[in-house]
Amino acid sequence: MRDPSSNRALVQERARVYLRENGSKVTGQREKILEAIFSSHDHFCAEDLHAKLKAQGHRISIATIYRLINELVKGHFLRPLDDGSERHLYDPNYPTRPGHYHILCKDCGKMIEFEDPCLDLRERALVEDRGFTADELQVRVDANCKRHHASGDCPNKEPKGNAMDSCAMEKKIS
Amino acid sequence: MRDPSSNRALVQERARVYLRENGSKVTGQREKILEAIFSSHDHFCAEDLHAKLKAQGHRISIATIYRLINELVKGHFLRPLDDGSERHLYDPNYPTRPGHYHILCKDCGKMIEFEDPCLDLRERALVEDRGFTADELQVRVDANCKRHHASGDCPNKEPKGNAMDSCAMEKKIS
DNA sequence: CTGACTGCAAAGCTTTTGCACGCAG
DNA sequence: CTGCGTGCAAAAGCTTTGCAGTCAG
């Protein structure tokens, strides 16, 4: 429904333009990394990307990955994400869904995305009242899965529809 | 108005009880660390505490500090905080003000706290609708200070009153 | 051609851990 | 007394950086 594959190509193209406009070069390695990032909606860390690329037969140094990630964050193509773990996670979904928030499932560790324009408006108004101009909003709700607690299964089948996958899935790209 | 000093003593006492009930011991070092944590509302990292204690003439190992912080987080006496930096920050204000959120001032780096029961309710309802039971809510709004941008000064004098201090202050305990 | 990128390895930071000794309960 | 806590130093992660060679524009 949302974010058809053409959007992905658009985001990648914009990222290329952004890099070039900022004096950076778009190398073969960077193309591969962009592809790995934006071909999925999954949140990831540097090591995930490294593993994914290695699995695809590309030998790209982890240093190269870190360097590109940092540039993409500066250009707002990636948003840093905090799931309470040590690793730096990144969310590739902000270019196409800027106003989304996260539920962190305490049962399976997965992050489920959701949106709510009212929440967005109220937060901005509150911040405005206190003398600030809001830029990025970040919401994380740590929660337990009701069905998981009732029946033991973990069926994140998106009652309202979102891009994320189920609790049962592994958390790493591997 | 809120959180009189008697509350601080209460929180510390509860922390002591919690530790003992969980098979831990309340040593002289731990007393000093608890004091350093709850005698202020400032967000801090392990190194901040270490420096503060050293300034007070106490020679407590950073390892001991990390070990206690981790226990206090488990007991919900401290809440991990993310300001986008590398270091792990902690917020000692949740025991007395459980439902507060943060504005991260992009001009000075300070975290300003604010509360809003409606925001809290709406977030919980949204999460509930999606099949979860919300536990902890975490909101961070990255924002610019309007007065700072208009006049160059940075006067977080709490338009609505909150426990945090001004932009002009140094960010570290030092 | 030139400057930015790459891989590698080393360095840097923060946080955790193993161990021998010490102290709270 | 016993077991958990402590300090120290080493180890462990994750991320960054220096350098010599390579490649995009």
Side-chain angles (χ1 to χ4, degrees), chain A residues 14-101:
Chain A
R14 283 187 164 227
R16 278 188 216 103
V17 171
Y18 167 81
L19 290 170
R20 291 204 186 92
E21 283 179 347
N22 285 68
S24 295
K25 289 173 178 174
V26 179
T27 62
Q29 289 94 326
R30 289 187 170 189
E31 289 284 7
K32 295 289 185 297
I33 301 171
L34 287 174
E35 185 69 26
I37 290 174
F38 294 110
S39 66
S40 159
H41 292 291
D42 290 349
H43 307 145
F44 63 87
C45 68
E47 199 53 64
D48 290 336
L49 270 190
H50 194 216
K52 184 174 182 177
L53 288 160
K54 182 171 292 179
Q56 295 173 355
H58 307 303
R59 308 212 133 274
I60 298 177
S61 161
I62 188 91
T64 299
I65 291 170
Y66 275 113
R67 283 184 277 231
L68 181 56
I69 286 176
N70 289 340
E71 286 205 65
L72 294 175
V73 169
K74 274 186 205 128
H76 300 277
F77 291 92
L78 287 179
R79 175 91 68 95
L81 201 59
D82 173 33
D83 75 340
S85 77
E86 300 304 294
R87 311 184 129 183
H88 290 186
L89 290 185
Y90 299 92
D91 188 335
N93 304 329
Y94 279 91
T96 44
R97 296 176 62 215
H100 76 256
Y101 306 120

